[in-house]
Amino acid sequence: MSYLRAMANSLLMAALLSRARSFTPTSRLALRVAGTQLFQSTATAQEVVPRVKAAEANKPSDGPVTVKGWVRTLRKQKTLAFVEVNDGSNLGGIQCVLPFDSIDEATKSEIDKITTGCSVQVQGPLVESQGGKQKVELAATSLRVIGECPGETYPLAKKRHSLEYLRTIAHLRPRTNTIAAVARVRSALAGGIHSFFQKSGFVYLQTPLITASDCEGAGEMFRVTTLDLDNISNIPKATDEEGKALDTADYGQDFFDKPAYLTVSGQLGAETHACALGDVYTFGPTFRAENSQTTRHLAEFNMVEPEMAFADLDAAMDNAESMLKYVVGHIVDSCQEDLAFFGKFYDKGLKQKLDKVISQPFARCSYRDAISYLQEEIAKDPSKWQFPEVEFGTDLATEHERWLAESKFDSCVFIYNYPKIIKAFYMRDNDEDGGETVNAMDLLVPGVGEMVGGSQRVSVYIYILENSGTCV
């Protein structure tokens, strides 16, 4: 409701503004909607020193600018002080130089308050750096400590901390290079995904997070309920036709009058919209309740789910390949500093791997051929494999997928035409083999394994009804 009221206020003010003839040049006009200032007059704006982010500070400025962030290091000398401020926009932050003969007394007293981790506001012009680590530095004329920090107990030193240690200080770990770089790259990835689909004519959907559907049995589901689980004896029981209490809860008295869960997929909502809008996609949180501690299973993750009307399996593979190449290219262009950091400390060949995804066409291999390749390779030394038994109908394990992508094809590869018995009921049968396989595909990526899965849907209504009970 508050959002709707804000919109109504905005429209009302826009209508009022459209009737205004003129304002005097010296007037100060500020409009606020739901607490947010829309604009100010030019005269007022000129009084504010513009703020710049460290990532944008790449050349000298024409005048003073403002930098706000958190102190990484402080070095004091006889005539000046160096303060490294990081605002989260890049890895290195920006160096602020404070000559003691150019700053006021208030700033000199503020310098004594500076500790690692405190937040500051620094003003001054951007000038060419005297050192070689950065192009420009801030020639500070004033500094104010916004939020103090007890430096003696601040847990982040200027050294590399283990990820295990960072888990113990979750509230501060976004200030570290690793977690901050991950956040920036994830942000760029999300932006690239939206950009690709928007430019490709897809409509973005927000499908429900709370649902009564398990969406083909895609995974174990987290239950959502308002029943008092802390007092089990008071949970209402369901009854049979004779009024006898059953061993199950009476969800008719729950919030939604039926069992409800966190969604495992937005697919069903996207399919219905695709039959009206054509090409659509969802991109949001999904939840799986598999009790697994491996890195392959997450309780919560964001999933991209495109649905295309009037498309076949080749179109789905073309779309997945184009999307991945576009998104990887986007982060290679926009996250160079963060990718270089990952390449230095986590994956020495990362840049080359990403460039290969962009430049090399994805291979395509039928499931039958993939099984033949695996059987031939496994026969050389079955002891090297955790799952050496591979035949038609085998659901490929991660070791099989990675061998195909990393050794056999040395590239991203689509495996298509999977056996019907290991895929969902709604996938279209292949006529050429009598329906033994279906129009389904998985995209396997070196170093990862399966990254994308998709299929061409059955379009015959009677067939869907007849086979819906075979959902896997």
Side-chain angles (χ1 to χ4, degrees):
M1 290 297 292
S2 61
Y3 173 68
L4 294 177
R5 284 197 297 268
M7 286 189 63
N9 290 338
S10 298
L11 293 174
L12 175 60
M13 290 186 179
L16 293 174
L17 284 175
S18 67
R19 298 187 180 186
R21 296 290 183 180
S22 65
F23 297 97
T24 58
T26 58
S27 66
R28 176 177 179 179
L29 176 64
L31 294 183
R32 294 179 179 272
V33 176
T36 300
Q37 185 165 290
L38 294 182
F39 66 85
Q40 286 185 323
S41 68
T42 303
T44 303
Q46 290 176 346
E47 299 171 3
V48 179
V49 177
R51 180 184 176 186
V52 299
K53 294 293 186 74
E56 304 165 351
N58 49 26
K59 62 181 180 180
S61 62
D62 295 330
V65 299
T66 299
V67 171
K68 298 179 181 181
W70 297 268
V71 172
R72 284 276 182 91
T73 61
L74 167 66
R75 291 185 294 118
K76 291 183 181 179
Q77 297 181 359
K78 289 183 178 181
T79 59
L80 71 165
F82 297 92
V83 182
E84 182 185 327
V85 178
N86 189 281
D87 60 8
S89 64
N90 65 1
L91 278 173
I94 186 168
Q95 178 172 267
C96 303
V97 183
L98 294 95
F100 295 151
D101 58 357
S102 301
I103 57 178
D104 55 31
E105 293 300 321
T107 298
K108 291 178 182 178
S109 63
E110 289 288 280
I111 292 177
D112 294 332
K113 301 178 184 177
I114 294 177
T115 58
T116 301
C118 74
S119 57
V120 296
Q121 172 182 296
V122 192
Q123 292 185 346
L126 292 172
V127 299
E128 290 187 7
S129 177
Q130 300 294 320
K133 292 184 177 181
Q134 59 279 321
K135 293 182 180 179
V136 297
E137 59 192 19
L138 190 72
T141 56
S142 72
L143 179 148
R144 297 294 180 269
V145 174
I146 298 174
E148 296 184 7
C149 178
E152 64 277 3
T153 58
Y154 188 67
L156 292 176
K158 192 175 182 181
K159 65 176 184 179
R160 188 177 181 184
H161 297 286
S162 69
L163 297 179
E164 289 74 16
Y165 172 71
L166 294 182
R167 292 188 183 99
T168 67
I169 50 171
H171 64 300
L172 290 174
R173 64 183 180 181
R175 295 191 184 185
T176 63
N177 287 338
T178 295
I179 304 302
V182 168
R184 285 188 293 267
V185 172
R186 281 177 60 92
S187 176
L189 283 170
I193 289 169
H194 281 297
S195 176
F196 170 80
F197 283 110
Q198 292 292 319
K199 289 180 178 179
S200 301
F202 283 67
V203 176
Y204 174 44
L205 304 176
Q206 299 82 36
T207 51
L209 297 185
I210 300 176
T211 178
S213 170
D214 70 351
C215 193
E216 77 177 72
E220 296 296 325
M221 307 180 74
F222 288 103
R223 188 182 296 274
V224 177
T225 181
T226 58
L227 298 178
D228 186 4
L229 300 182
D230 291 329
N231 196 349
I232 297 178
S233 62
N234 287 343
I235 293 179
K237 297 288 187 180
T239 58
D240 59 18
E241 296 177 355
E242 299 177 355
K244 184 178 179 181
L246 302 175
D247 290 333
T248 59
D250 180 7
Y251 289 103
Q253 299 187 46
D254 204 353
F255 187 89
F256 295 103
D257 297 328
K258 63 176 66 176
Y261 309 89
L262 293 178
T263 185
V264 296
S265 171
Q267 176 182 326
L268 296 181
E271 286 177 344
T272 59
H273 281 76
C275 291
L277 301 175
D279 297 337
V280 302
Y281 74 104
T282 72
F283 183 20
T286 52
F287 308 87
R288 303 288 171 90
E290 285 90 352
N291 189 16
S292 172
Q293 303 302 315
T294 71
T295 57
R296 300 286 296 175
H297 294 84
L298 296 175
E300 176 184 352
F301 57 95
N302 282 16
M303 182 159 62
V304 184
E305 297 178 274
E307 295 288 344
M308 299 183 292
F310 314 109
D312 57 15
L313 188 64
D314 286 330
M317 289 191 284
D318 290 342
N319 178 262
E321 181 171 353
S322 297
M323 184 272 291
L324 192 57
K325 287 180 178 292
Y326 179 95
V327 171
V328 172
H330 176 70
I331 64 167
V332 167
D333 291 338
S334 60
C335 302
Q336 295 180 15
E337 184 184 35
D338 292 324
L339 294 179
F341 171 78
F342 292 140
K344 180 178 181 180
F345 292 104
Y346 291 98
D347 188 341
K348 299 296 183 183
L350 177 61
K351 181 62 166 58
Q352 292 74 20
K353 293 175 183 177
L354 296 177
D355 288 340
K356 192 173 183 179
V357 170
I358 299 169
S359 62
Q360 183 172 313
F362 293 2
R364 300 189 181 188
C365 173
S366 71
Y367 173 87
R368 291 183 188 274
D369 288 342
I371 291 297
S372 296
Y373 296 143
L374 284 165
Q375 289 174 334
E376 181 180 347
E377 180 66 21
I378 292 173
K380 297 176 181 177
D381 188 356
S383 65
K384 293 182 178 180
W385 297 79
Q386 183 179 0
F387 302 102
E389 299 298 327
V390 174
E391 60 184 13
F392 184 86
T394 297
D395 199 358
L396 299 181
T398 300
E399 63 174 347
H400 304 143
E401 295 171 342
R402 292 192 61 175
W403 179 83
L404 288 167
E406 296 169 17
S407 299
K408 178 61 182 177
F409 292 98
D410 189 26
S411 75
C412 299
V413 54
F414 287 103
I415 306 299
Y416 63 91
N417 290 352
Y418 277 83
K420 180 178 182 178
I421 58 174
I422 62 173
K423 289 297 182 179
F425 72 93
Y426 54 74
M427 297 182 180
R428 185 181 184 278
D429 288 354
N430 283 312
D431 297 331
E432 54 268 27
D433 59 14
E436 189 176 25
T437 63
V438 292
N439 274 206
M441 62 83 173
D442 287 332
L443 174 60
L444 311 182
V445 176
V448 178
E450 179 190 348
M451 179 173 286
V452 178
S455 68
Q456 182 178 355
R457 307 286 193 259
V458 173
S459 56
V460 181
Y461 180 65
I462 295 177
Y463 178 87
I464 297 175
L465 292 180
E466 291 175 348
N467 290 274
S468 60
T470 63
C471 173
V472 295

